[in-house]
Amino acid sequence: MGRTKLSTIFSVNNHPVLPHSNPISENLVENPSAQKNRFSPYSLFGLLRNLFFAKKDDGGSRTEEEERVYNWLYNLAQSEKDLVFEYVRSTERGLSFKEAERRLRENGPNVPIEYFFPKWWHLIWNALFHPFNIILIVLSVLSFIASDNPNGSIMLTLVFISVSLRFYQEYSSSKAAMRLSEHVRCPIKVQRCAGRVVQTELVVQVDHRDIVPGDIVIFEPGDLFPGDIRLLSSKHLVVSQSSLTGESWATDKTADIREDRSTPLLELKNICFMGTSVVSGNGTGLVVSTGSKTYMSTMFSTIGKKKPPDEFEMSLRWIFYLLVAIILVVVTIIVVTDYSTSLDLSRSILFGISVASALTPQMLPLIINACLAKGALAMAKDRCIVKSLTAIRHMGSMDILCIDKTGTLTMNRAIMVNHVDCQGLSQEKVLRFAFLNSYFKTDQKYPLDDAILAYVFTEGYRFHPSKWTKIDEIPFDFIRRRVSVILETHADAKDSLSGRFMVTKGALEEVMRVCSYIESFDKNEISIFSSDHHQRIFNLAEELSNEGLRVIAVAIKNLEMQQRRETGKGSMENDENFEKGMVFLGLITFFDPPKDSAEQALWRLAEKGVKAKVLTGDSLALAMRVCREVGIRTTHVITGPELEQMDQENFHETVKRATVLARLTPTQKLRVVQSLQTNGDHVVGFLGDGINDSLALDAANVSISVDSGVAIAKDMADIILLEKDLNVLVAGVEHGRLTYGNTMKYIKMSIIANLGSVLSLLIAILFLKYEPLTSRQLLTQNFLYSVGQIAIPWDKVGEESVKQPQRWSERDLPMFILWNGPICTFCDVATLLFICFYYKATSDLDIKFFHSAWFIEGLLMQTLIFHLIRTEKIPFIQDIASWPVLCSTLLISAIGITLPFSPIGKVMEFTVLPLTYFGFLVVLFLVYFTIGQLVKRLYILVYKRWL
């Protein structure tokens, strides 16, 4: 690869004049075959494409954009510094102000996501563009034309509710993506060059939005990296990458290294990423990527985008398309037939509108939203906030729950486990000096100090801190990664220990670095700290880490009285040689214990068919120990770096089998969720609370966060837990399945009842040559029937529907209709024949009689059919509906029966019916329930399920 000559970089007046394109970087990262999407999401073609061909990434491989960023960063990490300057078209002096302005105009502001917030009318259009809404709008307009104002108003109200809820959800989801920019807002120190003849290097403060590729940034503790950075120089640099990895531990970075391709991306030592921060140390770096080309932005580029419809929504659309087709065919036939006999076109059209209205399940939005709202209220009592009502339905279908380890399975606090020497044996002296260090340190108390103090006090140790006097302290910092205190005591009769001591504890490597001696407790002597001791301690620490324990080391130094060093606190901190020649004592081990409720909750979820997978950024050993203690199998485990090396087929197979996935990056968490959804055909829930969880939260079917989570995680979540307790999710799963069960009751019952009713109307009008019901009577029947369905969300659901995840089957509804639909039509035809031949109501003089009889039978049929559909068992005998449903059934039935006998019945042109007809209805419904129960048992025998 050739180098660009210096003469091409600088012009005569010494201003950097750089080319607008860079062939080197383009060859490194560009894919010539890449093509952009040609259709706008708001165009007609885009809408149709989204409606019929929505597809979700299967998660098996990186996207083209991610692959480009990976290649770019790896090549920079492997290159020498001078070649890196050529890649980004910069110089060791930095960019000129003029060149930086040009690049800012060319690249745009340095924001993590190139996200264009959609206008409110676009969101409303998307919410309105739904077949069910279109049907209701058309029918409401026709109802107003037909002077049926109440029916038209009801349908418009239902449309308004549906559109409002969807608009609110999409608006909230889109707005959440903008929150990412909050994590990089700060002034940045940048080195720029100025001057026409003699260039001068200047350090200026620039807003992060104005940073461009090629800038040289200067950073120190507390600074955020404004883009992806290739380090140029570093001194004791420690960086926090918790925003990307979720791990609380900081990582060392250095400029004096060349990485290779085998190193995981987030573990590259000479690359710092946008959104991460400096914990300690300082240095300089070259900005190599900004804005939408950073690693962070490619990770979060999918956030806020519209998700494809799930199975339930797609199946509802299929139902509505079916209804449209039936309405067009059946209503046309009815209008033509009615006109051929009445020769009154306006009357026939009005009757056709009434039939179309009766065919449409008008209460569907209200029933669904009422079911979901009822579930949301029930979950609120369990300290759970539901932001997206549809998530409750998804919880009923969820069969895999992906959870993080820290704070979810564990208590998120350290518990001290043991205090051992280099042989791995418990030694009280190790604990004593660890306790004294934690007791007397004052600079800052950490959770590990609290764990040591709690262990000593609860286990009954008496180390008498009152006999010790603190002389000085060297506080903890992220460069030394240890803390030292100087204490003094005098011997007494019970304790021979006396003198002045420096007690140090901290990271194992850093404590061992200042030790020259080691105490051998078995020999009761202090010996030279040899390489054998060094290796033995490292092996012991590795064994303890593999058991899921965190380790810190303890060392002491006896400061002889004649060599006492009276110093102030500040002078000791500046003396780098003061901590040396120490005696290594041993190790203190800690563990984040699992919650008492975790094992029980996971067992309850497993009983309900929900499998748990642990997705964490922590180490594999720690994750495995926690999982074993809460009952999660650890026979199939994998790490993020291992997943990265797999091809697509092995990736999917491994994700399917694995129960513990550790050291995952945010992108890998996303791919795991997508793989389970598309390749495994699972409904996936994800519980996370960090920025690193946002990708997976956005992709999951059910996204769950906690009230203590970061803002972006809570914005992405559908459900927010006010406390991290998995038992709340168990209750949520139960509520979701109750919601699904009652929703399916209404859908299947209404489709069968409506189709059966309309088919019966068609048969009756062909047989009678006149309308079996007038438009007013038909709309009244439909109104009473719809009002009676309001109680459905409060019905109870059988145990068989709560035990396993409930999924919509595309083949289920058509077969369900074919099996059960003809029974309703059979009963209506039987009623038709009975009225015509028993009462001889075939002349024009008996039309009122027929209308009254047909009205009552149709209303009772549509009302009572719910009790047959709602349960697998024998209705009213083995299973009785809830009292709200029973009251609704009795009330609507009573109104329907008494209506012909009331003054309102006269207005509606009804007449009084004989008691023999009601006797016939009793026999008819007994036959209906008998045949319906036999068909139900055969259906369950064939398809192994009912609802």
Side-chain angles (χ1 to χ4, degrees):
M1 182 181 295
R3 290 189 177 183
T4 306
K5 295 182 179 180
L6 291 178
S7 59
T8 64
I9 299 180
F10 296 99
S11 63
V12 177
N13 60 3
N14 290 333
H15 280 288
V17 179
L18 305 177
H20 287 259
S21 62
N22 183 7
I24 299 176
S25 64
E26 288 177 359
N27 291 334
L28 283 173
V29 301
E30 293 293 340
N31 185 352
S33 62
Q35 293 183 356
K36 293 185 177 180
N37 187 2
R38 296 177 296 169
F39 297 122
S40 164
Y42 304 118
S43 67
L44 178 60
F45 292 105
L47 286 170
L48 292 176
R49 185 201 58 197
N50 291 335
L51 189 62
F52 295 104
F53 305 104
K55 185 180 179 182
K56 208 169 190 176
D57 195 335
D58 65 359
S61 58
R62 288 193 294 261
T63 64
E64 181 183 327
E65 199 169 326
E66 290 173 336
E67 194 67 42
R68 189 183 296 115
V69 171
Y70 270 61
N71 290 336
W72 175 239
L73 293 178
Y74 269 116
N75 279 282
L76 293 172
Q78 294 173 271
S79 303
E80 294 285 355
K81 295 177 185 177
D82 56 347
L83 192 57
V84 173
F85 280 110
E86 295 186 20
Y87 285 158
V88 297
R89 299 174 289 134
S90 186
T91 70
E92 295 180 357
R93 295 180 176 181
L95 299 176
S96 69
F97 288 92
K98 184 177 180 180
E99 174 62 18
E101 290 177 3
R102 186 193 67 78
R103 294 193 181 193
L104 185 61
R105 290 193 302 269
E106 179 182 303
N107 297 318
N110 179 30
V111 293
I113 296 180
E114 283 187 336
Y115 187 82
F116 298 96
F117 190 71
K119 302 298 183 181
W120 62 269
W121 56 82
H122 288 153
L123 295 177
I124 290 180
W125 171 254
N126 285 337
L128 191 61
F129 191 77
H130 191 283
F132 179 74
N133 292 333
I134 293 174
I135 292 175
L136 289 183
I137 291 172
V138 172
L139 290 178
S140 65
V141 172
L142 294 176
S143 297
F144 284 122
I145 295 175
S147 299
D148 183 19
N149 296 332
N151 195 46
S153 300
I154 291 173
M155 288 188 281
L156 283 183
T157 302
L158 297 176
V159 171
F160 176 78
I161 294 173
S162 176
V163 172
S164 299
L165 288 175
R166 186 171 176 183
F167 169 78
Y168 173 77
Q169 292 174 6
E170 291 190 358
Y171 181 84
S172 301
S173 176
S174 300
K175 191 176 181 181
M178 309 302 290
R179 291 290 186 93
L180 288 173
S181 60
E182 297 177 1
H183 300 286
V184 292
R185 288 184 178 176
C186 60
I188 308 297
K189 291 181 180 178
V190 178
Q191 177 179 300
R192 295 271 171 88
C193 58
R196 292 182 176 273
V197 179
V198 179
Q199 289 192 329
T200 303
E201 298 172 2
L202 300 175
V203 177
V204 295
Q205 280 197 341
V206 177
D207 186 79
H208 82 280
R209 294 172 59 90
D210 298 331
I211 297 295
V212 296
D215 269 332
I216 296 176
V217 296
I218 303 166
F219 43 83
E220 53 191 22
D223 288 344
L224 290 173
F225 290 104
D228 291 341
I229 307 291
R230 170 59 158 91
L231 292 178
L232 301 177
S233 65
S234 61
K235 182 179 180 181
H236 304 303
L237 181 61
V238 180
V239 175
S240 172
Q241 298 187 154
S242 60
S243 61
L244 301 181
T245 64
E247 296 186 38
S248 57
W249 313 119
T251 181
D252 298 324
K253 296 283 185 177
T254 179
D256 302 323
I257 190 175
R258 289 181 62 185
E259 293 283 7
D260 56 57
R261 191 81 183 191
S262 61
T263 305
L265 183 69
L266 294 180
E267 297 179 16
L268 295 174
K269 294 293 185 182
N270 57 4
I271 298 291
C272 297
F273 300 91
M274 184 183 205
T276 61
S277 60
V278 180
V279 175
S280 64
N282 53 66
T284 61
L286 182 66
V287 179
V288 297
S289 302
T290 60
S292 62
K293 297 181 180 178
T294 59
Y295 172 74
M296 181 182 183
S297 65
T298 56
M299 283 170 41
F300 294 100
S301 59
T302 60
I303 287 182
K305 292 185 177 179
K306 181 183 176 182
K307 295 182 181 180
D310 58 16
E311 290 180 345
F312 187 85
E313 293 172 344
M314 294 178 65
S315 298
L316 284 183
R317 290 183 177 182
W318 177 87
I319 293 173
F320 298 135
Y321 297 142
L322 175 64
L323 289 178
V324 170
I326 294 176
I327 288 174
L328 292 176
V329 174
V330 174
V331 172
T332 301
I333 296 175
I334 288 177
V335 171
V336 171
T337 304
D338 185 67
Y339 175 72
S340 64
T341 55
S342 66
L343 300 179
D344 188 343
L345 182 59
S346 60
R347 176 182 170 184
S348 300
I349 293 177
L350 290 178
F351 183 72
I353 294 174
S354 303
V355 172
S357 178
L359 183 59
T360 305
Q362 300 177 14
M363 301 298 290
L364 182 59
L366 182 60
I367 295 296
I368 293 177
N369 290 324
C371 288
L372 297 177
K374 180 176 176 291
L377 291 174
M379 293 182 68
K381 295 180 181 179
D382 294 323
R383 297 180 58 77
C384 181
I385 300 173
V386 179
K387 291 172 56 183
S388 174
L389 292 180
T390 56
I392 300 176
R393 184 179 67 239
H394 291 154
M395 287 194 75
S397 304
M398 181 177 68
D399 55 354
I400 287 184
L401 176 63
C402 299
I403 53 180
D404 193 9
K405 172 186 66 63
T406 305
T408 303
L409 296 180
T410 65
M411 296 182 179
N412 198 21
R413 61 185 178 92
I415 299 294
M416 184 180 157
V417 178
N418 208 346
H419 41 92
V420 299
D421 60 7
C422 63
Q423 302 289 339
L425 302 176
S426 297
Q427 299 293 341
E428 184 176 312
K429 187 175 182 179
V430 178
L431 177 61
R432 169 184 290 189
F433 282 101
F435 167 79
L436 292 173
N437 180 287
S438 297
Y439 185 87
F440 283 102
K441 62 173 289 194
T442 57
D443 183 69
Q444 186 176 357
K445 293 289 186 180
Y446 288 96
L448 298 185
D449 296 309
D450 296 332
I452 293 173
L453 297 177
Y455 182 86
V456 170
F457 293 138
T458 56
E459 294 296 324
Y461 289 96
R462 299 186 180 277
F463 293 138
H464 306 290
S466 60
K467 298 180 179 180
W468 293 80
T469 303
K470 178 180 176 181
I471 305 300
D472 214 334
E473 176 179 349
I474 306 177
F476 179 88
D477 63 61
F478 283 96
I479 298 176
R480 294 168 39 259
R481 293 196 294 168
R482 57 182 180 264
V483 59
S484 298
V485 294
I486 296 180
L487 306 173
E488 189 174 54
T489 188
H490 299 284
D492 55 22
K494 297 181 180 180
D495 195 343
S496 61
L497 193 65
S498 66
R500 182 173 289 190
F501 295 87
M502 181 168 67
V503 185
T504 301
K505 78 174 190 303
L508 177 62
E509 299 86 348
E510 302 302 329
V511 172
M512 292 175 64
R513 187 174 298 168
V514 298
C515 289
S516 302
Y517 308 95
I518 185 170
E519 182 159 350
S520 301
F521 291 92
D522 55 341
K523 300 178 181 179
N524 196 23
E525 64 179 16
I526 296 176
S527 55
I528 300 296
F529 195 47
S530 65
S531 58
D532 290 340
H533 291 125
H534 192 279
Q535 188 60 44
R536 184 187 305 163
I537 293 171
F538 263 120
N539 292 339
L540 175 62
E542 186 176 358
E543 291 177 8
L544 294 172
S545 296
N546 290 337
E547 294 177 5
L549 300 176
R550 184 182 175 186
V551 175
I552 64 171
V554 182
I556 63 172
K557 180 180 181 180
N558 191 348
L559 305 177
E560 296 181 357
M561 300 298 292
Q562 66 271 22
Q563 295 180 355
R564 289 179 182 176
R565 182 173 179 175
E566 303 293 343
T567 64
K569 185 176 180 180
S571 60
M572 281 185 60
E573 292 181 14
N574 296 328
D575 190 351
E576 297 181 358
N577 297 319
F578 198 78
E579 294 172 315
K580 67 176 183 179
M582 304 193 71
V583 180
F584 186 89
L585 289 185
L587 304 174
I588 304 292
T589 60
F590 303 88
F591 180 56
D592 185 5
K595 291 183 176 180
D596 296 334
S597 61
E599 183 175 5
Q600 178 190 10
L602 291 172
W603 179 259
R604 292 174 62 193
L605 286 171
E607 285 184 329
K608 297 185 182 304
V610 180
K611 299 179 181 178
K613 289 181 181 287
V614 176
L615 276 59
T616 179
D618 287 341
S619 67
L620 180 60
L622 183 56
M624 288 179 62
R625 171 166 182 165
V626 173
C627 291
R628 283 195 295 267
E629 295 201 12
V630 298
I632 298 177
R633 291 185 180 180
T634 57
T635 52
H636 296 95
V637 297
I638 197 69
T639 64
E642 293 172 333
L643 283 177
E644 199 69 32
Q645 306 301 320
M646 294 182 180
D647 57 30
Q648 193 166 345
E649 183 176 351
N650 289 332
F651 179 93
H652 291 312
E653 184 61 30
T654 301
V655 167
K656 180 180 179 180
R657 294 187 299 126
T659 55
V660 182
L661 300 95
R663 295 179 63 198
L664 296 182
T665 66
T667 308
Q668 288 169 338
K669 289 183 179 181
L670 168 67
R671 294 197 188 106
V672 169
V673 171
Q674 290 177 333
S675 175
L676 293 171
Q677 288 173 322
T678 56
N679 193 264
D681 193 28
H682 296 288
V683 177
V684 181
F686 187 90
L687 173 57
D689 59 359
I691 300 175
N692 58 304
D693 297 320
S694 302
L695 279 173
L697 285 169
D698 190 53
N701 301 99
V702 185
S703 51
I704 310 161
S705 189
V706 293
D707 188 44
S708 58
V710 299
I712 185 65
K714 290 189 288 187
D715 284 337
M716 291 294 100
D718 301 317
I719 297 173
I720 297 179
L721 307 181
L722 298 183
E723 57 186 49
K724 281 189 173 182
D725 189 352
L726 290 178
N727 284 293
V728 177
L729 296 184
V730 178
V733 168
E734 294 176 351
H735 293 313
R737 293 179 184 174
L738 288 172
T739 299
Y740 177 89
N742 285 331
T743 303
M744 289 307 301
K745 290 176 187 176
Y746 172 77
I747 291 176
K748 292 187 174 182
M749 179 269 297
S750 62
I751 295 298
I752 290 176
N754 291 1
L755 287 178
S757 175
V758 172
L759 183 59
S760 301
L761 284 172
L762 178 60
I763 295 174
I765 200 171
L766 291 174
F767 181 80
L768 298 172
K769 303 303 181 180
Y770 61 81
E771 299 169 358
L773 291 174
T774 66
S775 299
R776 183 186 299 175
Q777 293 167 352
L778 182 58
L779 291 174
T780 301
Q781 184 189 70
N782 186 51
F783 174 77
L784 291 174
Y785 160 66
S786 299
V787 170
Q789 296 165 347
I790 294 177
I792 292 177
W794 285 265
D795 190 26
K796 56 185 181 181
V797 176
E799 295 181 0
E800 64 281 352
S801 299
V802 182
K803 289 182 179 179
Q804 294 296 325
Q806 303 296 322
R807 296 283 301 272
W808 181 287
S809 175
E810 294 181 356
R811 300 178 180 178
D812 183 33
L813 187 59
M815 299 308 300
F816 193 90
I817 295 173
L818 290 176
W819 278 70
N820 295 277
I823 305 175
C824 296
T825 305
F826 167 77
C827 293
D828 288 338
V829 171
T831 301
L832 172 68
L833 296 176
F834 177 78
I835 296 173
C836 292
F837 291 101
Y838 184 81
Y839 295 107
K840 302 185 183 302
T842 56
S843 64
D844 294 338
L845 297 177
D846 296 322
I847 289 180
K848 288 184 178 181
F849 182 92
F850 186 90
H851 286 173
S852 303
W854 188 268
F855 176 87
I856 292 177
E857 187 274 338
L859 180 61
L860 293 180
M861 173 64 70
Q862 290 178 318
T863 303
L864 294 174
I865 187 177
F866 175 75
H867 294 272
L868 180 67
I869 298 297
R870 60 172 297 275
T871 178
E872 297 182 6
K873 302 176 182 179
I874 302 175
F876 303 112
I877 298 176
Q878 294 179 329
D879 190 7
I880 302 176
S882 63
W883 68 266
V885 174
L886 289 175
C887 292
S888 173
T889 300
L890 292 174
L891 178 62
I892 298 302
S893 299
I895 293 174
I897 293 172
T898 58
L899 191 61
F901 300 92
S902 67
I904 299 177
K906 295 181 180 179
V907 176
M908 298 187 64
E909 300 180 350
F910 286 139
T911 188
V912 177
L913 297 173
L915 292 178
T916 54
Y917 179 71
F918 293 101
F920 164 76
L921 290 181
V922 171
V923 174
L924 176 70
F925 287 122
L926 287 175
V927 173
Y928 167 73
F929 278 103
T930 302
I931 298 176
Q933 191 63 29
L934 291 175
V935 172
K936 182 194 299 183
R937 301 313 307 170
L938 289 174
Y939 181 89
I940 295 174
L941 185 65
V942 173
Y943 297 100
K944 310 302 181 185
R945 59 175 296 179
W946 178 237
L947 291 175

